[in-house]
């Protein structure tokens, strides 16, 4: 693996970020504990306003998935078939559109401060090698993704029940999807962190996120085998719904269906292994 020039940049403005979190009192050469390292990343996220950014993208997701129109409310309340699978499919479509962009923006913003401020060297003097620093960033970002994913899935359900949906809700597919979406978002965020760490220009990382959003959305229309060979296709692969019937004869409906778990689990394990191996190699970069 080649070393990005940014990983050997001189110390600079990142010290100000650390100081804002109480790191200014730490002497050079002090080895930070894992808890302190994660807390410093959380402090950086506050200074970089990643929470408002995450909530803004969450708002976009909810605006697209909530039953706001009269026709959407009618489909939810006056249907002869279970409306909840259709609602879950809509949530999955909006998540496929928003999630790749969300994780890429979060990763690029949190890594960019290290490039521009020389944070790689400064962190290394305190025992945070580049790989360990990336792992701390992923841990901190997982704390952002957990409530965002929870609200992405829970708010449409609560809205439907408040509107008076009469069909009983089967919680199992929704909970399974929420957990799968969270794990996939975290794993994808780890891969975007690696990309952001290895390139100076963060437009590349965000651009890949934009591209991934469109690919993951269209993956819902792809044959399953094709969606499984495209990394962004797994936002579609975890969707626990399928369509059956035909619109022309009135038999069309959305039903619950288990995802292809061997493919999904295999991809998650492979992506996690790539992140672990890559960050271990970053730890051995010579300065």
């Amino acid at each position: 693996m080649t070393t990005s020039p940014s990983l050997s940049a001189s110390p600079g403005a990142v010290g100000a970020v650390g100081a804002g979190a109480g790191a200014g009192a730490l002497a050079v050469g002090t080895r930070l504990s894992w808890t302190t390292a994660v807390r410093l990343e959380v402090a950086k996220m506050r200074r970089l306003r990643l929470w408002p950014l995450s909530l803004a993208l969450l708002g976009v997701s909810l605006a697209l998935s909530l039953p706001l129109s009269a026709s959407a409310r009618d489909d939810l309340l006056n249907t002869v078939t279970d409306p909840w699978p259709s609602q879950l499919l809509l949530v999955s479509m909006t998540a496929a559109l928003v999630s790749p962009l969300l994780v890429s923006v979060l990763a690029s913003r949190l890594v960019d401060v290290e490039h521009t401020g020389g944070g790689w060297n400064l962190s290394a003097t305190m025992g945070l090698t580049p790989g360990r620093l990336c792992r701390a960033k992923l841990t901190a970002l997982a704390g952002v993704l957990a409530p965002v994913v929870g609200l992405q899935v829970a708010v449409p359900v609560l809205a439907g029940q408040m509107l008076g949906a009469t069909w009983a809700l089967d919680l199992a597919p929704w909970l399974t999807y929420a957990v799968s979406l969270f794990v996939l978002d975290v794993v994808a965020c780890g891969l975007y962190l690696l990309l952001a760490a290895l390139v100076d220009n963060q437009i590349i990382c965000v651009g890949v996120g934009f591209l991934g959003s469109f690919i993951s959305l269209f993956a819902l229309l792809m044959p399953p085998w094709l969606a499984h060979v495209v990394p962004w296709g797994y936002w579609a692969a975890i969707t626990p719904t399928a369509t059956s019937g035909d619109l022309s004869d009135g038999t069309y409906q959305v039903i619950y269906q288990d995802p292809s778990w061997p493919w999904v689990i295999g991809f998650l394990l492979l992506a996690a292994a790539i992140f672990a191996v890559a960050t271990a190699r970053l730890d051995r970069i010579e300065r």
Side-chain angles (χ1 to χ4, degrees):
M1 178 180 295
T2 59
T3 305
S4 169
S6 59
L7 294 180
S8 58
S10 58
V14 132
V17 176
L26 291 171
V28 173
T30 301
R31 181 177 176 83
L32 295 180
S33 68
W34 177 254
T35 302
T36 302
V38 175
R39 288 175 60 191
L40 288 177
E41 296 307 313
V42 172
K44 292 177 189 178
M45 291 193 304
R46 287 199 298 267
R47 292 176 64 95
L48 294 169
R49 294 180 172 84
L50 293 191
W51 274 105
L53 181 60
S54 301
L55 292 176
L57 289 174
L58 171 62
V60 172
S61 177
L62 293 177
L64 295 173
S65 63
L66 289 176
L68 301 177
S69 66
S71 61
R73 291 193 295 270
D74 185 67
D75 290 340
L76 186 64
L77 302 177
N78 303 312
T79 179
V80 296
T81 59
D82 188 352
W84 291 112
S86 296
Q87 186 63 27
L88 180 53
L89 178 60
L90 182 58
V91 170
S92 302
M93 292 174 63
T94 58
L97 180 63
V98 173
S99 290
L101 179 60
L102 171 65
V103 295
S104 67
V105 170
L106 292 179
S108 64
R109 288 281 291 163
L110 195 54
V111 170
D112 188 49
V113 69
E114 313 300 344
H115 290 309
T116 58
W120 300 112
N121 272 1
L122 179 61
S123 297
T125 63
M126 295 182 290
L128 279 175
T129 51
R132 190 165 181 251
L133 184 56
C134 286
R135 292 191 291 272
K137 290 179 184 296
L138 182 60
T139 302
L141 289 175
V144 176
L145 292 171
V148 169
V149 170
L151 291 172
Q152 270 184 300
V153 178
V155 171
V157 172
L158 294 176
Q161 292 181 328
M162 290 176 63
L163 287 172
T166 56
W167 282 78
L169 173 67
D170 184 357
L171 275 176
W174 288 82
L175 292 175
T176 301
Y177 176 73
V179 173
S180 302
L181 179 60
F182 171 68
V183 175
L184 179 58
D185 280 0
V186 171
V187 167
C189 189
L191 298 181
Y192 278 112
L193 280 171
L194 290 178
L195 177 61
L198 294 174
V199 297
D200 288 333
N201 189 348
Q202 294 307 303
I203 293 178
I204 296 175
C205 185
V206 176
V208 172
F210 268 109
L211 177 64
S213 291
F214 289 103
I215 293 177
S216 62
L217 181 60
F218 284 109
L220 290 162
L221 305 176
M222 294 179 183
W225 67 268
L226 183 57
H228 292 154
V229 299
V230 180
W232 299 282
Y234 283 88
W235 272 285
I238 63 172
T239 303
T241 60
T243 59
S244 64
D246 197 310
L247 282 172
S248 61
D249 58 13
T251 60
Y252 176 85
Q253 63 176 331
V254 181
I255 59 174
Y256 291 123
Q257 177 176 285
D258 288 335
S260 299
W261 289 119
W263 281 95
V264 173
I265 294 173
F267 171 77
L268 294 175
L269 292 176
L270 175 62
I274 291 173
F275 180 78
V277 171
T279 54
R281 293 198 63 182
L282 285 176
D283 284 335
R284 296 195 293 271
I285 290 177
E286 295 184 2
R287 301 184 176 281

